[in-house]
Amino acid sequence: ATGGGSAILPTPAIGAIGLMKDWRTAVGTRFEYEGDLIAVIGSGPGHLGQSLWLREIHGREDGSPPPVDLGAERMIAEAIREMVDWGSVTAVHDIADGGLLVAITEMALASGIGAELDAGEGTAFWFGEDQGRYVVTVSDVSRFENFFVSKLEGAVRYIGKTGGRASCQPPWTGSVICVWMAVSVSSASGCARSSFSTRCAAARANRTKARS
């Protein structure tokens, strides 16, 4: 139990340790610089079954979980590792609970640097939980493209850039204001959609706090 009278869903936990040739090449999940391009690595149709968005926004826990392609997962993961080793990316974050927009919000809030995103997609793109996807930030675009874009066969998509201010100040932590300050989406319809991430991000933060 969490201490608050609710049970935690059965969740397998895996611990892993990796070795790096040079620890100084490691990157974190937070945005490091303003003006970096934001790219999504990996693809998928935008799977909403069993997603946090479906549960928090519609109160439903149904549909099938996203399918897993182990071959594609390995290819993407090895490419990400190479990107880090070559210094081609400045931040990396996996896309998990809540989907793409929640991952970007977490990167923004961790650094205090905001993001400007292209809103030319719908709910499934921003909140789908397709497997084997990552968000990366890129400072040296030519270096990044020369080494990796061709290798990933169309699995790289630029969606915006870092910039502006991202912060949560009491009493708004975990609220609509928090996410609006973190991420701006560049169209009126997109901004309306971005409000969905507030409850997803808050739910994830609360759940993480409960588990700890």
Side-chain angles (χ1 to χ4, degrees), residues 60-211:
R60 294 165 49 193
E61 296 186 17
D62 53 35
S64 61
V68 177
D69 182 334
L70 294 179
E73 292 253 11
R74 179 170 183 169
M75 179 191 73
I76 299 272
E78 289 179 347
I80 292 291
R81 184 174 61 187
E82 286 187 62
M83 292 176 195
V84 172
D85 288 343
W86 280 87
S88 297
V89 293
T90 54
V92 179
H93 197 307
D94 65 309
I95 300 175
D97 292 353
L100 172 59
L101 194 54
V102 171
I104 292 173
T105 299
E106 291 176 346
M107 298 173 82
L109 294 178
S111 65
I113 299 173
E116 298 177 3
L117 306 175
D118 179 4
E121 295 289 348
T123 299
F125 176 77
W126 294 111
F127 300 105
E129 298 180 7
D130 304 84
Q131 299 294 289
R133 298 190 302 153
Y134 300 82
V135 180
V136 301
T137 54
V138 181
S139 291
D140 189 337
V141 178
S142 60
R143 178 184 178 88
F144 175 73
E145 293 186 342
N146 288 340
F147 280 96
F148 299 108
V149 171
S150 60
K151 295 175 64 174
L152 289 171
E153 301 178 354
V156 178
R157 176 173 176 179
Y158 297 112
I159 60 170
K161 65 179 181 179
T162 62
R165 185 168 65 94
S167 64
C168 285
Q169 301 294 331
W172 305 300
T173 301
S175 71
V176 172
I177 294 175
C178 173
V179 174
W180 276 96
M181 293 177 72
V183 178
S184 64
V185 185
S186 57
S187 80
S189 60
C191 287
R193 283 198 300 272
S194 74
S195 65
F196 287 134
S197 70
T198 60
R199 289 171 63 182
C200 292
R204 183 171 184 181
N206 290 337
R207 183 168 58 186
T208 301
K209 182 178 180 181
R211 285 178 177 174

Side-chain angles (χ1 to χ4, degrees), residues 35-46:
D36 279 2
L37 288 184
I38 302 171
V40 179
I41 310 295
S43 58

